[in-house]
Amino acid sequence: MNGSYQTYVNTLPSYLNAAPPVYGRCLESNFDERPRYPILYAPGTENQVRCFKDQTPQLLFGRTVSTVDNDIANSTRMSPIDNFTFIYAWNE
């Protein structure tokens, strides 16, 4: 496992604040490559499988969506795509 969804959620506001003037927001609902193992990785390389084991739909994903929603509401960007949000899911 590598990564923590809690860390992702905590750092998302600073990431959004540093975005360039023309920007399409993206948020992750979760990321979990475990269903692809061992097709994606060779046997014995379990530590390379990426996933967020601490993601919780009720708390952390809701907070992620609220963060992006607040960023859109307070945005001063003039980009025509400024109100779009792309959601990346582990099984995309």
Side-chain angles (χ1 to χ4, degrees):
M1 179 185 91
N2 51 357
S4 163
Y5 197 77
Q6 181 70 60
T7 300
Y8 164 73
V9 171
N10 291 344
T11 59
L12 185 59
S14 61
Y15 178 80
L16 293 172
N17 288 336
V22 177
Y23 180 69
R25 288 168 193 83
C26 181
L27 63 91
E28 291 184 72
S29 63
N30 195 3
F31 195 84
D32 189 347
E33 289 182 326
R34 289 177 293 180
R36 298 180 186 125
Y37 178 81
I39 297 166
L40 188 60
Y41 297 102
T45 58
E46 295 87 4
N47 61 338
Q48 293 180 5
V49 177
R50 296 173 293 176
C51 68
F52 291 134
K53 289 187 177 179
D54 60 346
Q55 194 271 2
T56 57
Q58 299 82 5
L59 176 62
L60 293 179
F61 183 66
R63 189 170 146 203
T64 303
V65 173
S66 293
T67 298
V68 170
D69 186 45
N70 289 336
D71 188 64
I72 291 171
N74 297 313
S75 177
T76 57
R77 294 182 191 97
M78 298 300 291
S79 170
I81 63 167
D82 190 50
N83 292 325
F84 285 95
T85 302
F86 304 95
I87 300 176
Y88 182 78
W90 72 267
N91 61 349
E92 185 173 84

